[in-house]
Amino acid sequence: MPRFRAILDTVPAYQAGKSVTSPDGRSYKLSSNETPYEPLPSVLEAIAAAAREVHRYPDPAAVRLTETIAARYGVPAEHVALGPGSVTVTQQLLATLAEPGAEVVYAWRSFEAYPLLADLAGVTSVRVPLAGESHDLDAMAEAITERTRMVIVCSPNNPTGTVVRRAELTAFLDRVPQDVLVVLDEAYREYVRDADVPDGLSLYRDRPNVAVLRTFSKAYGLAGLRTGYMIAAEPVATAVRKVMVPFAVNHIAQAAAVASLAAEEELLERVEAVVKERTRVREALLSQGWEVPSSEANFVWLRLGEDTAAFAAACAAEGVAVRPFHPEGARISIGDPEANDAFLKAAAAFRTRA
Ligand SMILES: *Cc1c(COP(=O)(O)O)cnc(C)c1O
């Protein structure tokens, strides 16, 4: 037997959101925070055109995409680093600082990829429990030691949908030592409507230890193509580019991401429709008697405790796939109105079950 790293025996497998079908054939996937919309015609055209060129390697530096992102946000191109999904950019970040004994601090529960990525990188996870459903930034600051190399702040937080507001975040950043990287995971930024939630890009400019993660997978609807990026000061961006596997962002993904930024207005109209549905779904759940934390993302969170698995099964029987984290709660993505109605019906029935 070849000898493998011991961590592989204990590393948690990533549980992707599942699809389910009801006995009468209905299927609504509300388990992966995807957009319910198919790609725009202009994006499909860019994908088709790029497909004709896949006998060539992609541009390894993704110059066009990098420059388009830089222009969109008014940042230097040197501050942009890409990866095949922002999950992989997080992995690249960990690879830049994974020395024996290194620690990464993050809230828990938060994005389930964090423990997996930390384990794979050989970095020790320090999980700081949520206070209620939100980040406990005081406790996170206290969890920083001389071994801490990175802190991740996920806002809106996956899976609870809660946010970190401007005053508490800047106070936190002021407490973090300069040689500790703070990663603001803003995968759901486009869904935020609370004006007190800072845009990470306004914070990184005068803070060289702050990195902002964004993705094309959620609001921009390109989850299947895998493209994400980081915006940070040049030393951080350069380090992340160094550890990227050559050609990691493929040619079709680069073209589709450029086309998506060109079609941003149309895409953000879709985001607005999802935000309206988020309000409708939450209000319906509240009137059914559920407790639902206010969400700034494209999902809602129900803290179901020991009922979590039964709730997911009841939804599945109606063709609705949710994302259970038994025995804590379930995350339900906001889909199109028909899917959301199917979910609300299942939730109401569960609420009044015998
Ligand atoms: C979905 C998600 C991402 C983005 O993942 P990609 O790899 O870009 O598809 C990053 N962070 C969080 C918290 C997410 O929920």
Side-chain angles (χ1 to χ4, degrees):
M1 263 285 270
R3 275 208 268 162
F4 300 109
R5 289 166 59 202
I7 193 81
L8 297 190
D9 294 332
T10 55
V11 72
Y14 185 82
Q15 304 281 342
K18 296 187 171 63
S19 294
V20 296
T21 306
S22 68
D24 59 355
R26 286 168 300 140
S27 181
Y28 305 103
K29 187 161 183 273
L30 302 181
S31 54
S32 295
N33 298 345
E34 296 146 338
T35 174
Y37 301 101
E38 287 175 7
L40 291 171
S42 63
V43 175
L44 279 178
E45 260 169 51
I47 289 171
R52 306 182 74 93
E53 299 159 349
V54 295
H55 58 305
R56 305 289 183 197
Y57 278 101
D59 173 1
V63 172
R64 209 165 145 232
L65 177 55
T66 302
E67 287 178 351
T68 307
I69 292 169
R72 163 68 180 82
Y73 293 108
V75 301
E78 297 73 33
H79 289 192
V80 180
L82 294 165
S86 66
V87 168
T88 308
V89 181
T90 309
Q91 184 175 43
Q92 290 165 216
L93 277 164
L94 286 161
T96 65
L97 44 80
E99 276 176 334
E103 294 179 356
V104 55
V105 173
Y106 51 85
W108 199 252
R109 178 168 284 277
S110 187
F111 188 28
E112 64 167 337
Y114 301 151
L116 168 68
L117 296 174
D119 282 1
L120 293 180
V123 174
T124 302
S125 286
V126 177
R127 302 177 183 195
V128 178
L130 296 173
E133 304 294 1
S134 305
H135 278 55
D136 185 344
L137 290 183
D138 280 335
M140 289 177 73
E142 275 149 31
I144 294 172
T145 69
E146 61 194 22
R147 293 179 300 281
T148 309
R149 291 287 169 274
M150 182 164 136
V151 180
I152 308 176
V153 176
C154 185
S155 176
N157 186 45
N158 178 1
T160 60
T162 54
V163 287
V164 171
R165 296 199 171 74
R166 186 171 291 106
E168 49 170 339
L169 184 56
T170 49
F172 171 76
L173 293 175
D174 289 343
R175 284 180 71 180
V176 177
Q178 291 294 303
D179 63 351
V180 173
L181 182 70
V182 181
V183 177
L184 305 178
D185 188 340
E186 297 187 337
Y188 302 95
R189 171 70 215 173
E190 295 81 4
Y191 295 100
V192 172
R193 293 294 176 270
D194 180 338
D196 279 341
V197 177
D199 181 326
L201 297 178
S202 69
L203 295 170
Y204 101 94
R205 290 173 205 272
D206 43 356
R207 295 181 190 265
N209 66 328
V210 170
V212 181
L213 288 180
R214 299 278 177 91
T215 179
F216 285 97
S217 295
K218 304 285 161 54
Y220 293 87
L222 298 180
L225 281 176
R226 321 297 309 123
T227 312
Y229 57 98
M230 180 195 72
I231 296 180
E234 193 167 342
V236 184
T238 302
V240 167
R241 272 189 233 107
K242 275 186 192 163
V243 300
M244 183 172 111
V245 173
F247 307 114
V249 181
N250 74 69
H251 182 60
I252 295 177
Q254 291 183 30
V258 169
S260 297
L261 286 170
E264 192 169 32
E265 234 172 277
E266 268 175 286
L267 289 170
L268 294 183
E269 277 168 29
R270 293 169 157 198
V271 167
E272 187 57 30
V274 170
V275 167
K276 290 210 171 77
E277 278 294 287
R278 171 179 84 200
T279 304
R280 183 178 77 86
V281 167
R282 178 161 183 265
E283 281 169 5
L285 288 170
L286 291 173
S287 70
Q288 289 176 15
W290 297 97
E291 255 181 59
V292 196
S294 181
S295 169
E296 292 290 318
N298 64 339
F299 51 83
V300 291
W301 169 250
L302 296 177
R303 190 162 283 281
L304 291 142
E306 294 293 342
D307 286 340
T308 300
F311 179 82
C315 290
E318 295 295 323
V320 180
V322 302
R323 180 70 179 87
F325 297 93
H326 190 81
E328 290 165 61
R331 187 194 70 201
I332 305 95
S333 309
I334 303 298
D336 58 30
E338 183 188 333
N340 299 335
D341 283 341
F343 161 66
L344 288 171
K345 190 168 157 241
F350 191 85
R351 189 87 206 155
T352 57
R353 73 200 188 282

